[in-house]
Amino acid sequence: MRDIPVGNGSLLLNFDDKYQIRDVYFPHVGQENHSEGFPFRFGVWVDGEFSWVFEDGWSRSLKYLPQTLVTDVILTNDALGIKIDCNDTVAGDENIYLRRVSVTDLKGTPRRVRVFLHHDFRIYENKIGDTAFFDPDTHALVHYKKHRYFLIDTEPPFDAFATGRKAFRNSEGTWRDAEDGDLAGGPITEGSVDSTIAVHFELVASGSHEFYYWIVAATSHAAVVELNAHVHLRTPEKYFRETENHWHAWVNKNSLPDGLPPEIVEFYKRSLLILKTQIDHGGAIIAANDSDVSERATDNYSYQWMRDGSFVANALDLAGYPEITRSYFHFCAKVMHEKGYFLQKYNPDGTLGSSWHPRWDNYRKVEMVPIQEDETALVLWALWKNFEKYRDIELIRSCITNSSCRVPTSWRTFGTQQQNCRNRVGIYGRIAVEFTRLLVQPSWRACEPGQTWQGFLPTTKKQMAMNRPLLRSWGRWRNTSTANRLAGSYVHCNRTVTTRLRQIRRLMHRFLEFSISTVST
């Protein structure tokens, strides 16, 4: 289970219910989890006593500041007499995770306090070949491997640090070194490594102390150093203020009906903000980013399923966020199979995801199509709903232009003798794309709300003449025996798929028969 995610479409961090960072995704939401679900521990030493916040004895409240993606976390330990208030966020336009920490004395006496922050990076999703080192030029810790760099810093500067081996022979990690209140140093370690930093300060009786902590992510050492300089120059507080204002404006940009109960309004806005954290900057809408499922399933849900994505895209369209769904539909156009359908699921970067759908029937020795039946149709449905609401013809046109589906120039090229399920799905996927082409041609007038397909028919003789060849070529093809066999055959295809294809066939015939009769007259 994951709580209070914070992200910006490129950098996503998830916490567990004990307020430990568990997932660090970069540079895609849901792809390359650089912690593999292992915890980044957070602990405190007070007057000789030490405790990690995941241990018993702590009460925890993990929430967000209202209408933002800035967390509002309260951690209290009565035995230690300490309360810690934290806020977490990720900068809107830069890959910077920030935390504001405020520690308060509850005993009414002066206190000596050391706060420890631990990092268990497993870069590129494995612990082999990582490096952690102290960078004297920036007074920061850096973890890196190949093209992934993570720089850790605080303001005021941290007072102690350690890098070391973890999960190797008898080495548990530098977090164990922290439990006596002191860190042994260690300026660089390679292999399976972790790191810990400590911030030391004194509290006056009933007083508080505040500091900032952050992690920046980039693809080179020079880039993380530059981002770190930005944080120091602009100050962490300004990043917090700007990020909080950004999310507050984003979630309130559209009006809601009057009279809704406040708890419903808050739940609606929180849902929008959580949805936003699960959407990649490249357009993929990820099903779920929860790495602990991989412990029992050897895989996870950090994939783009077209079914899930289409339902979310439609909800976002209804909520008034078409800029998000435009990216989603462009992503769909990019990954569509050349035969006109979508495969089971995709990685956030558009590469093909893992699958349990076979391409070969080992019993009947025939080829199969590795698809989920509901996914291709739902993308078209969501795109149509988007068009109904926003009339964004350029979106439709750009999706067709950028689609990897190879739509034939003539309807007559559909006259193939192959009768297996793959070709039937491909043909009807192509027909659906070709329908969309018809709808966005300048010769077709827009449909008013409430009108049917007839609203898209040509309205002048000239427009009819422009579209007559295409419609007539469809009419010639649909009357061939090949077309009927393709639409009705059960060869190499189960009954459910064939039934759905027949339903699609009937709908297309109804529309095109009406169109042909209109053009002919």
Side-chain angles (χ1 to χ4, degrees):
M1 178 178 176
R2 296 293 181 257
D3 289 319
I4 54 172
V6 290
N8 65 359
S10 298
L11 176 63
L12 170 67
L13 285 86
N14 293 332
F15 295 80
D16 63 17
D17 60 348
K18 303 294 193 296
Y19 190 55
Q20 299 178 113
I21 294 173
R22 283 284 189 162
D23 302 311
V24 181
Y25 293 101
F26 172 79
H28 291 280
V29 171
Q31 188 168 341
E32 295 185 27
N33 185 358
H34 300 288
S35 65
E36 279 198 299
F38 286 85
F40 284 30
R41 294 169 174 85
F42 180 33
V44 60
W45 178 96
V46 184
D47 295 332
E49 296 184 66
F50 184 91
S51 179
W52 296 109
V53 300
F54 67 81
E55 296 175 338
D56 294 338
W58 289 89
S59 65
R60 309 171 194 87
S61 171
L62 278 62
K63 298 180 180 179
Y64 291 95
L65 295 178
Q67 301 179 24
T68 73
L69 280 175
V70 177
T71 70
D72 183 16
V73 176
I74 301 174
L75 310 168
T76 306
N77 189 307
D78 293 330
L80 291 177
I82 287 291
K83 180 170 76 80
I84 304 176
D85 295 273
C86 296
N87 304 111
D88 307 85
T89 196
V90 171
D93 298 320
E94 296 172 292
N95 293 316
I96 305 169
Y97 159 72
L98 302 108
R99 179 183 296 181
R100 179 167 48 209
V101 182
S102 178
V103 182
T104 302
D105 165 59
L106 299 180
K107 287 191 172 181
T109 59
R111 319 294 297 277
R112 291 183 302 139
V113 180
R114 300 172 186 176
V115 174
F116 293 85
L117 298 135
H118 164 253
H119 318 98
D120 191 354
F121 283 104
R122 295 164 190 243
I123 301 175
Y124 286 113
E125 303 187 345
N126 72 80
K127 64 183 181 179
I128 307 302
D130 286 5
T131 300
F133 70 94
F134 175 74
D135 183 357
D137 291 336
T138 59
H139 192 275
L141 284 182
V142 177
H143 285 245
Y144 79 91
K145 179 160 62 186
K146 297 180 181 178
H147 302 294
R148 301 291 178 260
Y149 283 75
F150 300 90
L151 182 148
I152 301 140
D153 203 355
T154 64
E155 180 61 46
F158 52 82
D159 298 279
F161 68 87
T163 71
R165 287 284 179 90
K166 57 104 189 287
F168 179 72
R169 294 180 179 172
N170 295 323
S171 299
E172 293 184 82
T174 57
W175 61 279
R176 283 297 190 192
D177 185 27
E179 292 179 340
D180 63 359
D182 293 304
L183 293 173
I188 188 168
T189 309
E190 57 82 30
S192 175
V193 304
D194 74 340
S195 68
T196 305
I197 60 173
V199 178
H200 300 176
F201 52 89
E202 294 186 359
L203 289 176
V204 299
S206 302
S208 297
H209 178 85
E210 183 177 273
F211 70 91
Y212 291 91
Y213 156 80
W214 61 88
I215 302 173
V216 300
T219 58
S220 70
H221 181 255
V224 291
V225 168
E226 183 178 1
L227 278 176
N228 191 52
H230 287 180
V231 180
H232 283 288
L233 181 63
R234 297 179 64 185
T235 74
E237 179 57 35
K238 186 173 183 180
Y239 271 103
F240 267 100
R241 186 168 60 252
E242 290 178 349
T243 304
E244 185 174 346
N245 291 339
H246 166 79
W247 289 119
H248 191 274
W250 181 86
V251 81
N252 286 289
K253 74 169 191 165
N254 300 308
S255 60
L256 293 174
D258 295 331
L260 290 175
E263 60 271 20
I264 296 299
V265 173
E266 175 60 27
F267 184 74
Y268 168 75
K269 292 180 178 180
R270 177 55 51 204
S271 298
L272 282 173
L273 289 164
I274 294 297
L275 277 178
K276 191 67 170 68
T277 66
Q278 307 302 298
I279 299 174
D280 185 67
H281 64 92
I285 299 175
I286 308 306
N289 292 297
D290 187 351
S291 62
D292 65 354
V293 70
S294 62
E295 297 176 9
R296 59 183 183 274
T298 67
D299 205 345
N300 53 59
Y301 290 100
S302 294
Y303 296 104
Q304 164 70 76
W305 268 274
M306 297 308 176
R307 172 196 58 214
D308 301 19
S310 294
F311 283 131
V312 172
N314 179 244
L316 289 168
D317 275 337
L318 294 174
Y321 293 88
E323 67 280 2
I324 299 176
T325 57
R326 276 196 295 270
S327 296
Y328 168 69
F329 290 125
H330 286 143
F331 177 91
C332 294
K334 180 181 71 172
V335 303
M336 180 185 287
H337 194 278
E338 64 177 7
K339 294 185 182 297
Y341 52 82
F342 294 101
L343 295 169
Q344 184 189 9
K345 60 188 187 221
Y346 298 86
N347 293 308
D349 65 355
T351 54
L352 184 61
S354 59
S355 176
W356 57 78
H357 289 279
R359 298 168 184 259
W360 179 253
D361 187 328
N362 205 36
Y363 295 97
R364 292 185 291 174
K365 308 302 181 185
V366 294
E367 187 177 353
M368 301 176 68
V369 184
I371 63 171
Q372 286 186 199
E373 302 158 25
D374 53 356
E375 296 201 288
T376 300
L378 281 171
V379 173
L380 294 172
W381 168 81
L383 184 59
W384 171 249
K385 288 297 183 181
N386 175 279
F387 182 77
E388 277 188 323
K389 184 171 179 63
Y390 295 107
R391 296 294 188 222
D392 190 349
I393 290 178
E394 290 306 316
L395 169 61
I396 309 292
R397 189 184 299 278
S398 63
C399 285
I400 294 169
T401 302
N402 297 322
S403 172
S404 57
C405 176
R406 302 293 180 255
V407 180
T409 57
S410 169
W411 291 90
R412 285 168 289 184
T413 60
F414 287 136
T416 172
Q417 296 298 319
Q418 299 180 44
Q419 301 174 28
N420 58 35
C421 176
R422 175 195 62 187
N423 286 318
R424 291 209 303 280
V425 174
I427 284 170
Y428 284 106
R430 289 167 177 165
I431 292 173
V433 173
E434 198 64 40
F435 270 168
T436 311
R437 276 191 170 182
L438 280 172
L439 298 183
V440 301
Q441 285 185 15
S443 59
W444 298 85
R445 64 183 175 86
C447 179
E448 296 298 328
Q451 282 187 284
T452 60
W453 285 96
Q454 290 92 320
F456 287 95
L457 295 176
T459 56
T460 68
K461 290 183 178 180
K462 181 179 179 180
Q463 292 167 349
M464 292 178 186
M466 291 172 64
N467 291 282
R468 184 179 292 115
L470 181 59
L471 293 170
R472 281 182 175 172
S473 63
W474 158 260
R476 284 193 295 271
W477 179 81
R478 78 176 178 86
N479 289 325
T480 64
S481 58
T482 299
N484 292 327
R485 288 199 304 273
L486 286 169
S489 172
Y490 283 86
V491 177
H492 304 172
C493 188
N494 65 47
R495 184 175 297 273
T496 301
V497 175
T498 304
T499 300
R500 294 192 179 189
L501 288 171
R502 279 182 165 179
Q503 292 171 350
I504 295 171
R505 173 179 175 267
R506 285 196 294 270
L507 289 172
M508 291 180 174
H509 277 194
R510 288 177 187 174
F511 169 57
L512 286 171
E513 283 170 357
F514 185 88
S515 302
I516 293 166
S517 63
T518 304
V519 172
S520 301
T521 57

